């Protein structure tokens, strides 16, 4: 190993790094001299020999060459595809250590805010089999594992994109974070597609019929939606596929066919038709039944989302008399779950499809005190009638956080309690600083784990001010 004492490590050097934590992208983090080293596929507690890939000031990206000392926090991954698949980062790290690492991520994001107390991360009720939706890609370039014999067939795969080579698809034989029912559907779809000789999509040539298989299994009702996304209508081929899949008796309650003829690699269809069943499934959350189509937004971990709603409910502390605004309300998960405890809830959302889902869900559940505004939240809040006096604000913005143009009209509202739900602690901490500067108090930061084995962490942040 090169002598590093006299100069800073640079590209190509080898380093011995003890991994202390992980970053928001799931890379192991350690130090070398005055630099922070980020190493993919390295977990806290282990010591690795790493090669420096690049250095930017005091940030080094490295790659593992050798695992020198194993981590006492390491566990055996459950999934045979772990490591090559881009889905999970940490099936090889004990769950308690995952939670501790996620808390550190939130703590470091909030470190510059005096008095911010970050509570321990609320664990997910289930650490495996928790996802209610998966999008599997068909591909004509199968990812080949190093252990496979030369010449292994590689022209068909149905699964997930490889972590390091996006154009390759791992032929997923089982995914430990989805339900066993979804595994069975995946296996059947693969067999049927091969039997019928249907060609998978080629990401470079833009040829092949089969593009995506979306599988949605409702955790609470067990209803199952499958969407087959193809590059063309091809009704005959699609119907043969559909008949064969339904004949397997896999519990599918609705089957839809979507067409995405565009080159962009996405499961979002340009047009869709229902081949079997109603075209949607029901999922229950916090006493509200949500109808989910293939494209409806819904939290992918139903049981953990129920706990998220419980945290929001506790912080909103509703008595039944409050007017609640739900900004960035999506399909109304928070607004509808809390509506029965409030006088009125008003949601603001820019996606027309999400607003249509939210209104439909309100109607189906007989919730008459929830309204949803379609449009940019900035315009929606600015246009609030002068007499409107909301009591509680629910904020669940996209990863980038609240739009800077929103704060002035937000702070002009009469509300004295805000519950901010965030999937990005760095953006949330920056936004909370704006609240503090405007005279609000930060009461609590309560992280919750919705996505075990990934670095993602959600936070429920309680803010208040005097009336
Ligand atoms: C994190 S999701 C919130 C999900 C929602 N709480 C739910 O569970 O259904 C953020 C939402 O903000 C919406 N959004 C993004 N920018 C917006 C804007 N400028 N105005 C209104 N809504 C916006 C997105 O369409 C998305 O539905």
């Amino acid at each position: 190993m090169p002598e590093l004492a006299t100069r800073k490590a640079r590209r190509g050097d080898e380093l011995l790094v003890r991994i202390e934590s992980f970053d928001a992208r799931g890379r192991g983090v350690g130090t070398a001299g005055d630099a922070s080293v980020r190493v993919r596929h390295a977990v806290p507690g282990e010591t690795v020999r790493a090669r420096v890939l690049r250095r930017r000031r005091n940030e080094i990206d490295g790659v593992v060459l050798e695992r020198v000392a194993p981590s006492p926090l390491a566990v055996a991954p459950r999934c045979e595809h772990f490591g090559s698949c881009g889905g999970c980062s940490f099936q090889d790290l004990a769950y308690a250590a995952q939670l501790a690492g996620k808390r550190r991520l939130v703590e470091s994001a909030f470190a510059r805010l005096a008095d911010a107390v970050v509570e321990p991360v609320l664990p997910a009720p289930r650490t495996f089999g928790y996802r209610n939706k998966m999008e599997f890609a068909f591909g004509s370039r199968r990812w080949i594992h190093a252990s496979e014999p030369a010449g292994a067939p590689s022209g068909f795969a149905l699964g997930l994109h490889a972590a390091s080579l996006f154009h390759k698809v791992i032929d997923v034989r089982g995914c430990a974070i989805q339900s066993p029912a979804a595994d069975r559907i995946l296996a059947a779809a693969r067999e049927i597609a091969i039997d019928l000789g249907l060609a998978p999509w080629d990401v470079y040539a833009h040829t092949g019929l089969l593009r995506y298989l979306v599988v949605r299994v409702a955790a609470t009702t067990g209803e199952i939606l499958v969407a087959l996304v193809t590059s063309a209508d091809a009704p005959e081929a699609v119907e043969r596929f559909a008949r064969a899949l339904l004949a397997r008796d896999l519990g599918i309650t609705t089957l839809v066919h979507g067409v995405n003829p565009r080159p962009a690699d996405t499961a979002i269809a340009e047009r869709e038709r229902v081949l079997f069943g109603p075209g949607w499934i029901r999922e229950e959350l916090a006493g509200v039944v949500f109808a989910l189509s293939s494209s409806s937004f819904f939290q992918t971990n139903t049981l953990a989302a129920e706990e998220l709603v419980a945290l929001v409910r506790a912080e909103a502390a509703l008595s039944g008399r409050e007017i609640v605004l739900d900004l960035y309300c999506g399909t109304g998960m928070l607004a509808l779950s809390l509506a029965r405890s409030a006088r009125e809830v008003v949601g603001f959302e820019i996606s027309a499809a999400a607003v249509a889902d939210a209104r439909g869900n309100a109607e189906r559940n007989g919730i008459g005190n929830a309204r949803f505004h379609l449009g940019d939240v900035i315009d929606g809040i600015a246009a609030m009638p002068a007499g409107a006096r909301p009591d509680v604000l629910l904020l669940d913005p996209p990863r980038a956080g609240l739009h800077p143009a929103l704060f002035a009209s937000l702070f002009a509202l009469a509300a004295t309690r805000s519950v901010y739900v965030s999937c990005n602690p760095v953006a949330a901490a920056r936004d909370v600083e704006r609240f503090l500067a405007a005279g609000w108090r930060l009461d609590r930061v309560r992280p919750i784990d919705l996505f075990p084995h990934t670095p993602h962490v959600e936070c429920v942040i309680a803010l208040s001010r005097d009336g």
Side-chain angles (χ1 to χ4, degrees):
M1 195 176 306
E3 178 56 61
L4 296 171
T6 53
R7 65 166 174 81
K8 288 185 170 185
R10 56 185 182 226
R11 187 182 158 87
D13 283 351
E14 290 180 19
L15 302 171
L16 204 58
V17 190
R18 190 183 138 76
I19 304 297
E20 307 288 349
S21 58
F22 55 80
D23 71 2
R25 288 168 55 189
R27 297 173 302 182
V29 180
T31 51
D34 59 353
S36 154
V37 187
R38 285 151 206 280
V39 188
R40 194 172 283 286
H41 302 308
V43 294
E46 74 176 330
T47 300
V48 297
R49 191 162 61 83
R51 171 168 297 131
V52 175
L53 292 178
R54 65 187 73 82
R55 175 172 194 140
R56 257 175 271 103
R57 285 188 283 276
N58 283 347
E59 302 257 317
I60 290 174
D61 289 344
V63 61
V64 176
L65 295 175
E66 183 193 352
R67 297 183 193 279
V68 177
S71 169
L73 307 169
V75 294
R78 190 179 286 197
C79 184
E80 66 172 288
H81 304 293
F82 177 71
S84 19
C85 168
C88 294
S89 308
F90 310 125
Q91 276 192 26
D92 54 348
L93 181 64
Y95 189 53
Q98 295 183 25
L99 296 177
K102 291 186 187 202
R103 186 183 189 188
R104 269 200 300 274
L105 281 179
V106 181
E107 281 172 338
S108 79
F110 279 81
R112 60 174 198 231
L113 304 190
D115 305 331
V117 176
V118 175
E119 297 193 356
V121 181
L122 191 67
R126 262 190 216 155
T127 56
F128 285 99
Y130 65 80
R131 277 192 74 101
N132 57 30
K133 182 182 181 191
M134 292 291 288
E135 291 179 0
F136 294 107
F138 288 95
S140 62
R141 295 159 195 265
R142 185 173 73 81
W143 185 87
I144 310 273
H145 193 272
S147 63
E148 291 187 52
S154 61
F156 185 101
L158 172 57
L160 298 166
H161 291 282
S164 48
L165 291 170
F166 190 78
H167 66 285
K168 299 270 184 182
V169 176
I170 296 171
D171 204 34
V172 170
R173 300 291 163 154
C175 170
I177 59 169
Q178 71 170 355
S179 79
D183 274 347
R184 290 191 287 274
I185 290 167
L186 189 66
R190 174 184 299 109
E191 262 177 44
I192 293 165
I194 292 172
D195 278 358
L196 295 178
L198 302 178
W201 182 248
D202 185 294
V203 276
Y204 291 133
H206 301 158
T207 55
L209 179 67
L210 304 177
R211 297 197 67 173
Y212 273 92
L213 190 81
V214 180
V215 184
R216 239 179 165 156
V217 182
T220 53
T221 63
E223 294 176 355
I224 300 177
L225 177 150
V226 174
L228 175 70
V229 181
T230 60
S231 58
D233 290 293
E236 220 176 281
V238 168
E239 269 147 40
R240 275 195 299 154
F241 177 93
R243 271 197 302 277
L245 189 63
L246 292 170
R248 299 280 183 113
D249 228 356
L250 295 162
I252 297 169
T253 54
T254 192
L255 181 60
V256 300
H257 172 217
V259 181
N260 172 15
R262 297 174 308 261
D265 196 23
T266 162
I268 299 169
E270 207 173 75
R271 49 188 182 273
E272 206 175 77
R273 68 190 174 115
V274 178
L275 301 174
F276 170 73
W280 42 268
I281 53 172
R282 292 167 306 153
E283 181 76 293
E284 195 177 326
L285 190 93
V288 179
V289 178
F290 291 84
L292 311 180
S293 67
S294 66
S295 56
S296 305
F297 174 81
F298 195 74
Q299 290 287 350
T300 43
N301 183 345
T302 310
L303 302 186
E306 178 99 35
E307 308 226 325
L308 173 73
V309 170
L311 288 183
V312 173
R313 179 186 293 282
E315 297 300 351
L318 302 177
S319 67
R321 292 187 299 273
E322 293 84 358
I323 296 176
V324 179
L325 305 189
D326 182 359
L327 279 63
Y328 306 93
C329 68
T331 49
M333 180 185 76
L334 298 175
L336 295 172
S337 303
L338 269 52
R340 292 181 178 127
S341 314
R343 170 142 57 106
E344 185 183 20
V345 292
V346 187
F348 297 84
E349 167 60 48
I350 204 162
S351 152
V355 168
D357 280 351
R359 288 179 182 152
N361 286 326
E363 199 177 316
R364 268 186 294 275
N365 285 275
I367 296 173
N369 63 338
R371 289 187 290 123
F372 297 94
H373 280 290
L374 173 60
D376 193 311
V377 66
I378 298 169
D379 305 329
I381 295 298
M384 291 270 298
R389 296 186 61 79
D391 303 284
V392 178
L393 307 177
L394 306 178
L395 309 160
D396 187 2
R399 280 196 73 74
L402 299 175
H403 194 284
L406 184 61
F407 288 99
S409 39
L410 210 57
F411 296 148
L413 298 170
T416 53
R417 276 202 302 289
S418 284
V419 186
Y420 184 144
V421 178
S422 167
C423 58
N424 179 353
V426 172
R430 186 199 60 215
D431 290 345
V432 166
E433 254 182 317
R434 303 282 294 261
F435 274 77
L436 300 186
W440 287 70
R441 286 181 300 270
L442 171 59
D443 297 325
R444 260 173 306 283
V445 181
R446 305 179 78 175
I448 170 170
D449 188 20
L450 298 184
F451 302 107
H453 317 300
T454 76
H456 300 293
V457 59
E458 202 87 2
C459 289
V460 175
I461 300 156
L463 297 145
S464 61
R465 67 175 169 185
D466 300 324

